[in-house]
Amino acid sequence: MTNRQHRDRPWLMRTYAGHSTAADSNALYRRNLAKGQTGLSVAFDLPTQTGYDSDHVLARGEVGRVGVPIGHLGDMRALFDGIPLEQTNTSMTINATAMWLLALYQVVAEEQGADITKLTGTTQNDIVKEYLSRGTHVFPPGPSIRLITDMIAYTVAGIPKWNPINICSYHLQEAGATPVQEIAFAMCTAITVLDAVRDSGQVPQERMGEVVGRISFFVNAGVRFVEEMCKLRAFGLLWEKVTLERYGIQDPKQRRFRYGVQVNSLGLTEAQPENNVQRIVLEMLGVTLSKDARARAVQLPAWNEALGLPRPWDQQWSLRIQQVLAYESDLLEYGDLFNGSHVVEAKTAELLAGAEAEIAKVLGMGDGTGREGIIPAVESGYLKSALVASHAERRARIESGEDKIVGVNCFDTTEENPLTADLDAAIMVVDPAAEQGVLDGLAAWKADRDEAAALRALAELKAVATTEVNLMAATLDCVRAGVTTGEWAFALREVFGEYRAPTGVGGAPVAVPAEPGGALEAVRAAAAATAAELGCGKLRLLVGKPGLDGHSNGAEQIAVRARDAGFEVVYQGIRLTPEQIVAAAVAEDVHCVGLSILSGAHAELVPDVLRRLRRAGVEDVPVIVGGIIPAADGEALKAAGVAAVFTPKDFGITTIIGRIVDEIRLANHLAPTTTKEETLA
């Protein structure tokens, strides 16, 4: 028999997708499946992820931007129209509202006549990493762990092939985690969740193996190929040890480390974006070449994600990358290529030892009330500060040139790029009319439903939330009664409250010292001189994140570097309305307002902030904006009154802080400082 006849089955191939409306996303899914995609990966928009209906004030400009809006059962029906759910493996990137989306999914499957015990797929449902990196959390840690526990108990009994959670270290790396931190923090989350399920009494001890067997992970794979591959090998070894020793799971199949992967989006560059293709390929190899640590599902970003929303063709390109490796190469005909490698074994052992030490440290951070697990380390701010610090160190290495980024801080001369010759056509633009269509559909849904039934279901949900009864049944009743996403979430907000996670900015150490003659020292001197000329102790910078975009990594790095440059920084975290940002700017009498938006909502939210500042009589405070902002949008923002626009190609944070000093001086009619030429270099 030849190797060709013994090929392994390829991993699930997915494309993270969803936009505009449920109907538009359904059409995209059908096209992707027809192209050979073997699983669906649903991207939900930010209102859906954070428990708001599309007509909420915080949803303005966010509807259908980074995913599909799902406000009620009708939307879920439209999303999967003509797609047989019993035969489809569906991954849903959803966390705070995961229970709600699973309930919607189940009811649609039932309406299709599916046997729900045969449903396969995953709800991401890892709320801890939302507190640390992605920012779509809603409820406090305690109730959030309860929602996860209830879902796990429900699915083990009723939807046994479903993965009720994947512990998501992907976004930890995006927030700056080192490989050791990524392994350790994810494993601490898994331990916390499994302890909660075990201690809840909802699953008999003899069925804990079924719980462990349905736990999956969602990891990141960066461009450091050897290190990333060894990270996954270390992950698997550690999971084997934890599940055997801590939980006594005897079945090797239930102890298997099961993970899906989205390769690194943090490393995608706006400058020379064609280089992203080879980065994506190398990162994919890190999670596929080693058979013993091979991903069970892979989704790749598109080459142009640092520019804006990828088009269907861009996503097709990423799918074809996977298909060439799986079907044209001979990779799947052999065993593990790296077994016996001294280099791989040594690096794996190093990462494993570092992760175990960090796990012991985190799990030892009890709060004095007997609570263990990762939550006290979240609430104390330790984990967030550690990630902010790691990210600051990485950015400092890039700025100094220690870490080479081709096309960004080295080899940056380039021929004209035909892929981006027409930037407006190089990315997909969401039709602004789509948002109004979603709002009209939401209003029609509420008008047509049995209002009394919806209110009864919500009242029962709140009553059950005050007890220890599993919340899935009450949630399913809400789905069937026509309750909306925002109504379900706000009912639980009334019982559980909301939570604002620590920002990590205050506790982050200095990453770039202000060395004599260095760039940061020059900016510090310019900031101090400007403050003296304005008659204040320090320049004050407000860093604000309007709307629902919770990706705060860039905002945090600006805040930390501005602090180190001598600014007084006002940073209140994520999810603020333009009104709240302006109120803070006025109350704190700031000298500059910096806005960070990566969701595409800048065209609506930034002009709103400008209008409100003018109405408040604030005329001499420059507004700067950072985010994934197409060139045409950047020019429009400047025409509206924005002083400066920064995008991912502007990797020099100290340079950005220097620009802020310059804009403050310009707005206050002060002469340029002697450092102006240097800070703009």
Side-chain angles (χ1 to χ4, degrees):
M1 303 288 281
T2 67
N3 286 340
R4 291 174 185 266
Q5 294 172 298
H6 289 287
R7 289 176 62 88
D8 290 335
R9 188 167 61 179
W11 51 89
L12 275 172
M13 299 183 191
R14 294 182 170 131
T15 302
Y16 183 54
H19 67 89
S20 302
T21 69
D24 290 333
S25 298
N26 173 262
L28 177 62
Y29 295 163
R30 289 192 188 206
R31 291 199 303 271
N32 286 346
L33 290 169
K35 294 171 183 173
Q37 188 172 298
T38 52
L40 294 177
S41 181
V42 182
F44 296 100
D45 75 351
L46 289 173
T48 304
Q49 293 183 50
T50 50
Y52 294 99
D53 283 333
S54 298
D55 58 359
H56 192 278
V57 62
L58 272 171
R60 278 190 311 129
E62 307 278 17
V63 177
R65 286 281 179 184
V66 299
V68 57
I70 299 295
H72 47 74
L73 180 59
D75 286 340
M76 204 66 156
R77 288 173 182 147
L79 185 65
F80 293 107
D81 181 43
I83 299 174
L85 297 187
E86 190 175 307
Q87 303 169 32
T88 305
N89 189 298
T90 304
S91 172
M92 294 191 282
T93 301
I94 198 75
N95 296 279
T97 54
M99 178 179 285
W100 175 248
L101 270 298
L102 178 61
L104 288 169
Y105 190 85
Q106 176 184 323
V107 172
V108 169
E110 290 171 344
E111 291 178 347
Q112 291 183 355
D115 178 354
I116 67 167
T117 65
K118 296 180 179 178
L119 295 180
T120 59
T122 303
T123 31
Q124 191 171 101
N125 203 19
D126 173 1
I127 204 64
V128 171
K129 67 95 173 49
E130 298 300 320
Y131 299 137
L132 300 178
S133 57
R134 195 162 164 269
T136 68
H137 55 276
V138 176
F139 312 112
S144 294
I145 295 295
R146 183 235 176 128
L147 287 169
I148 295 169
T149 300
D150 285 359
M151 277 186 66
I152 292 173
Y154 176 81
T155 54
V156 166
I159 316 179
K161 294 184 178 181
W162 192 265
N163 300 323
I165 185 171
N166 61 20
I167 309 300
C168 182
S169 71
Y170 172 86
H171 295 98
L172 299 180
Q173 187 180 117
E174 297 286 290
T178 65
V180 163
Q181 289 172 328
E182 188 180 344
I183 298 170
F185 297 170
M187 202 59 65
C188 287
T189 298
I191 289 169
T192 299
V193 167
L194 286 173
D195 284 358
V197 174
R198 179 195 61 195
D199 298 343
S200 73
Q202 295 191 63
V203 178
Q205 180 59 40
E206 62 270 18
R207 298 193 69 180
M208 277 299 292
E210 297 173 54
V211 174
V212 171
R214 298 319 304 171
I215 301 294
S216 63
F217 290 75
F218 187 68
V219 307
N220 205 327
V223 78
R224 289 173 59 81
F225 167 80
V226 174
E227 187 171 60
E228 293 295 288
M229 183 184 63
C230 293
K231 178 186 74 179
L232 271 305
R233 293 170 76 96
F235 243 135
L237 291 171
L238 187 55
W239 184 240
E240 168 82 10
K241 181 178 180 180
V242 167
T243 54
L244 180 62
E245 296 181 1
R246 189 179 182 97
Y247 302 105
I249 307 305
Q250 298 301 311
D251 187 342
K253 290 184 179 179
Q254 293 177 333
R255 297 198 306 267
R256 184 182 301 153
F257 180 66
R258 301 162 60 250
Y259 80 96
V261 63
Q262 156 98 14
V263 306
N264 194 308
S265 293
L266 176 67
L268 300 183
T269 62
E270 179 185 9
Q272 298 184 26
E274 65 276 11
N275 294 335
N276 294 328
V277 177
Q278 49 264 37
R279 292 185 179 107
I280 290 167
V281 170
L282 186 58
E283 291 164 353
M284 177 185 65
L285 292 176
V287 296
T288 54
L289 284 187
S290 175
K291 180 178 178 178
D292 291 349
R294 182 172 294 151
R296 295 171 66 92
V298 177
Q299 59 191 47
L300 304 181
W303 68 278
N304 57 349
E305 286 193 17
L307 305 176
L309 189 65
R311 301 157 299 185
W313 182 85
D314 305 312
Q315 294 182 328
Q316 174 184 299
W317 191 355
S318 290
L319 176 62
R320 296 292 185 248
I321 291 172
Q322 295 200 58
Q323 290 168 330
V324 168
L325 178 65
Y327 297 109
E328 293 189 26
S329 85
D330 59 351
L331 171 66
L332 299 180
E333 298 172 13
Y334 297 94
D336 197 289
L337 307 178
F338 299 96
N339 285 343
S341 164
H342 298 304
V343 171
V344 169
E345 289 175 358
K347 187 62 179 179
T348 301
E350 175 192 329
L351 294 173
L352 184 59
E356 289 187 306
E358 185 65 23
I359 289 169
K361 181 177 182 180
V362 171
L363 295 184
M365 293 183 179
D367 60 1
T369 64
R371 285 197 311 165
E372 295 181 350
I374 200 170
I375 298 304
V378 171
E379 294 174 334
S380 71
Y382 166 75
L383 295 180
K384 183 64 174 177
S385 291
L387 292 178
V388 172
S390 294
H391 199 182
E393 290 168 4
R394 173 184 176 273
R395 291 300 300 256
R397 292 195 303 270
I398 293 172
E399 290 178 75
S400 69
E402 179 182 349
D403 284 4
K404 306 277 187 228
I405 310 294
V406 175
V408 175
N409 65 0
C410 64
F411 311 114
D412 54 0
T413 59
T414 181
E415 301 294 334
E416 185 175 349
N417 185 347
L419 292 174
T420 57
D422 182 356
L423 275 175
D424 292 335
I427 57 173
M428 192 177 110
V429 178
V430 174
D431 182 359
E435 180 168 347
Q436 188 57 51
V438 172
L439 296 177
D440 293 343
L442 177 63
W445 176 265
K446 289 182 177 180
D448 291 343
R449 72 183 179 183
D450 182 338
E451 189 68 17
L455 292 174
R456 285 195 299 271
L458 286 167
E460 178 62 17
L461 176 70
K462 288 189 281 189
V464 173
T466 63
T467 71
E468 295 184 358
V469 174
N470 191 298
L471 280 161
M472 270 301 296
T475 295
L476 285 162
D477 288 343
C478 284
V479 169
R480 297 179 179 119
V483 167
T484 67
T485 298
E487 290 170 338
W488 177 86
F490 271 92
L492 293 183
R493 281 178 171 101
E494 287 185 36
V495 179
F496 297 152
E498 287 194 70
Y499 185 69
R500 294 192 69 81
T503 67
V505 169
V510 174
V512 180
E515 297 175 349
L520 183 58
E521 178 59 32
V523 173
R524 282 180 65 96
T530 303
E533 290 178 67
L534 293 176
C536 59
K538 289 185 175 183
L539 295 181
R540 291 181 293 279
L541 170 67
L542 171 66
V543 178
K545 287 196 64 65
L548 296 177
D549 169 34
H551 289 85
S552 57
N553 305 329
E556 290 155 3
Q557 294 306 310
I558 292 292
V560 169
R561 192 68 58 83
R563 177 204 67 186
D564 295 345
F567 278 74
E568 178 183 332
V569 178
V570 180
Y571 178 55
Q572 298 171 323
I574 62 173
R575 214 175 301 167
L576 300 171
T577 65
E579 183 178 18
Q580 290 172 318
I581 288 172
V582 170
V586 173
E588 299 290 344
D589 191 23
V590 299
H591 298 99
C592 182
V593 173
L595 304 177
S596 170
I597 306 176
L598 282 80
S599 66
H602 50 267
E604 181 160 350
L605 297 178
V606 173
D608 192 6
V609 171
L610 291 170
R611 286 191 296 269
R612 291 178 183 276
L613 282 170
R614 289 164 185 155
R615 285 203 297 268
V618 179
E619 302 287 348
D620 58 351
V621 173
V623 174
I624 65 167
V625 180
I628 299 176
I629 301 172
D633 287 3
E635 292 305 314
L637 292 177
K638 291 177 184 177
V642 169
V645 175
F646 299 100
T647 64
K649 71 178 183 298
D650 300 300
F651 68 92
I653 300 180
T654 298
T655 298
I656 293 173
I657 304 304
R659 279 290 303 274
I660 291 173
V661 175
D662 294 338
E663 295 299 341
I664 291 173
R665 295 188 67 83
L666 182 63
N668 287 276
H669 310 292
L670 300 178
T673 66
T674 56
T675 64
K676 181 176 179 61
E677 182 176 336
E678 180 179 353
T679 60
L680 288 176

